[in-house]
Amino acid sequence: TITFCRDTLLVSRSQSYNEFLQKNQPARHSVTLLRFAAVFFVAFTLLQWIYQALNDTASYRFFIEMLTVRPSAAFISLIAPGDGVIAQAHRLVWQSGRLSVLNGCDGAEAMALLIAAFIAVAGSFRMRLTGIAIGVLLIYTLNQGRIVALYFAARHDKQLFELIHGLAGPLVIIALACLFFAWWIGRDGPEAPA
C-alpha cells in the first residue's frame, strides 16, 4: 500500500510504480492547461496586434471588399435578385439603404481565436494546420451567412438586426468555432506534440 496524505491508493502487482505515477498526476494536467492558456493568450494577442496593424491597408481593404462584401452581395442577389444589392467598397448598397462591413464585422476575431487555440494545443503540425484551414473556412462561411442575415434584418426588422449584429451572430460563430475545435482535437484522441 502506498499512502499519500489522507488517501490510500493501491498499486496492483501488474502495474509498475511509473505507470501508477503517470496515471495519477493531476499536476501534469494543470501545467498542460497553464501552458495552453499562456500560448493561447500570446498567440491571440499577437494575431490581434497584426490585424489592427493591417487596418486601413490594401490587404485589409482586399479582405473586406473583395473577400467579404462582394461574395455577400452576390449571394444576396441570388436569393433576392429584385433587391438590387451591389458591393460598393466596404458596403452593401441597395436603393433604400446600405450596410457597412467594417472592422469586427469580418469574422477576423473569431478566426484569431480559433488559430490561437490551434497554435496552443498539443498535436502534430499537420493536425493543427489542417484544423486551422478547415476552421477558418467554416468561420468565413458562417460570417458570410451572418452578413446576409444582417442585410435581410436591416431591410425588414431593425430589432432583429441589432440582435444578430451585437449578440446572436458573433455568439453563434464563436460557439460553433469552439465546438469545431473541440471536435477536431478530440476525434482521433490525443496526438504527440510536434
Side-chain angles (χ1 to χ4, degrees):
T1 304
I2 299 173
T3 304
F4 293 98
C5 300
R6 294 175 292 168
D7 297 328
T8 302
L9 301 172
L10 298 175
V11 179
S12 71
R13 293 184 196 275
S14 64
Q15 183 181 41
S16 74
Y17 183 70
N18 286 337
E19 289 172 332
F20 171 79
L21 288 178
Q22 285 178 349
K23 289 181 182 176
N24 296 285
Q25 288 186 9
R28 183 176 178 186
H29 297 294
S30 297
V31 169
T32 303
L33 183 59
L34 287 175
R35 179 201 160 276
F36 175 85
V39 172
F40 174 84
F41 176 77
V42 169
F44 180 71
T45 302
L46 182 62
L47 289 167
Q48 284 294 98
W49 180 79
I50 291 168
Y51 176 73
Q52 293 303 321
L54 291 175
N55 194 13
D56 205 29
T57 63
S59 298
Y60 176 78
R61 284 189 300 277
F62 179 80
F63 181 69
I64 293 290
E65 295 171 13
M66 303 300 285
L67 298 179
T68 306
V69 175
R70 283 191 185 203
S72 295
F75 192 65
I76 292 166
S77 293
L78 284 174
I79 297 170
D83 287 0
V85 175
I86 60 167
Q88 190 178 77
H90 66 276
R91 293 180 199 91
L92 293 171
V93 180
W94 61 96
Q95 186 176 7
S96 61
R98 68 175 187 229
L99 179 65
S100 293
V101 180
L102 300 170
N103 188 337
C105 297
D106 52 14
E109 286 182 346
M111 290 177 194
L113 285 168
L114 186 71
I115 292 168
F118 274 111
I119 290 170
V121 75
S124 71
F125 180 76
R126 182 177 178 194
M127 179 275 296
R128 292 184 286 160
L129 189 61
T130 306
I132 288 171
I134 294 170
V136 165
L137 184 60
L138 172 68
I139 291 170
Y140 173 80
T141 304
L142 291 169
N143 196 62
Q144 288 297 323
R146 176 180 166 263
I147 292 169
V148 170
L150 284 170
Y151 161 75
F152 285 106
R155 294 241 2 194
H156 303 289
D157 187 343
K158 300 292 184 195
Q159 289 180 333
L160 182 60
F161 173 86
E162 292 302 324
L163 178 67
I164 295 170
H165 181 257
L167 179 65
L171 185 62
V172 166
I173 290 172
I174 290 171
L176 289 174
C178 289
L179 288 172
F180 168 77
F181 175 74
W183 172 79
W184 187 263
I185 64 168
R187 63 195 172 91
D188 290 330
E191 295 189 32

